[in-house]
């Protein structure tokens, strides 16, 4: 049973770390500072493969430079992730970006005028495939059941007494006066 408790403790530690990272990602997305994306085309191969997950942060346009990879919206509202090949000052805080996919022979047809853009921070290879597999009931349900069982084992009380409990149990109880409480002489 010790090994089950150790596995459960390890699982709880991993789950706690994943939970904190998930909370940070959730709060970042809710505040608009972070965005999670999935690569759906091969235009950025070899930098990003189809199905890779990307966690990006929002950056002001003035901080962008040639060579940065950014995600911006097209005029049609499609999110495109390509590399900056040219930057020009635009109106106000905006900049005009010329982009090209690493796997594309030519620049994107239209420039992008942006005040900010999403810049990838973390690449998660094969994230789409992992999510798809985990969404299958034949995979997801057993994982949830196993996780619950490991948490249960980790939370089980130990059957062995701790060393300080053993010492307390073997110590002689305090001597009690059989005559009852004494009162001071007057």
């Amino acid at each position: 049973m010790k090994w089950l408790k150790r596995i459960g403790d390890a699982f709880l530690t991993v789950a706690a770390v994943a939970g904190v990272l998930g909370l940070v990602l959730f709060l970042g997305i809710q505040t608009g500072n972070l965005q999670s994306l999935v690569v759906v085309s091969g235009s950025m191969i070899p930098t990003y493969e189809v199905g890779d997950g990307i966690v990006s942060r929002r950056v002001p346009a003035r901080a962008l430079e040639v060579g940065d990879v950014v995600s911006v919206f097209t005029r049609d509202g499609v999110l495109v992730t390509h590399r900056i090949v040219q930057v020009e000052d635009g109106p106000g805080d905006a900049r005009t970006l010329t982009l090209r996919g690493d796997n594309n022979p030519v620049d994107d047809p239209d420039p992008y005028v942006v005040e900010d853009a999403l810049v990838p921070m973390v690449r998660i290879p094969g994230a789409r495939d992992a999510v798809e597999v985990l969404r299958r009931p034949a995979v997801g349900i057993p994982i949830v059941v196993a996780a619950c069982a490991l948490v249960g084992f980790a939370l089980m009380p130990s059957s062995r007494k701790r060393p300080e409990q053993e010492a307390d149990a073997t110590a002689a109880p305090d001597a009690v006066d059989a005559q009852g409480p004494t009162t001071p002489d007057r």
Side-chain angles (χ1 to χ4, degrees):
M1 254 339 185
K2 263 188 183 179
W3 62 274
L4 281 177
K5 180 139 178 62
R6 286 186 181 158
I7 290 172
D9 287 345
F11 175 77
L12 280 180
T13 301
V14 170
V17 169
V20 168
L21 292 175
L23 179 62
V24 168
L25 181 61
F26 174 78
L27 292 174
I29 290 171
Q30 293 304 310
T31 59
N33 294 319
L34 296 177
Q35 181 69 45
S36 61
L37 311 167
V38 175
V39 177
V40 296
S41 79
S43 67
M44 284 299 290
I45 291 173
T47 306
Y48 299 110
E49 299 288 333
V50 174
D52 285 353
I54 302 173
V55 177
S56 300
R57 63 185 168 91
R58 190 166 304 281
V59 173
R62 293 280 174 205
L64 301 174
E65 298 176 352
V66 171
D68 289 344
V69 175
V70 296
S71 298
V72 296
F73 286 99
T74 65
R75 291 183 186 151
D76 299 332
V78 176
L79 192 62
V80 173
T81 302
H82 284 166
R83 191 172 305 278
I84 299 174
V85 293
Q86 185 178 353
V87 179
E88 297 174 11
D89 286 336
D93 288 335
R95 286 191 141 183
T96 302
L97 308 177
T98 301
L99 305 180
R100 178 188 309 160
D102 289 354
N103 199 28
N104 293 348
V106 296
D107 296 345
D108 293 0
D110 296 318
Y112 303 88
V113 178
V114 298
E115 291 185 4
D116 58 29
L118 295 168
V119 175
M121 297 180 349
V122 178
R123 173 181 173 241
I124 306 163
R128 181 189 64 190
D129 297 336
V131 169
E132 289 298 320
V133 167
L134 291 173
R135 289 180 61 187
R136 294 182 192 149
V139 175
I141 292 172
I143 288 174
V144 169
V145 169
C148 290
L150 287 174
V151 168
F153 283 122
L155 296 176
M156 284 176 37
S158 177
S159 60
R160 288 193 55 209
K161 291 183 179 181
R162 287 181 270 151
E164 63 269 7
Q165 288 176 325
E166 289 176 3
D168 290 345
T170 58
D174 291 339
V176 178
D177 190 339
Q179 296 175 352
T182 57
T183 56
D185 293 334
R186 293 193 180 172

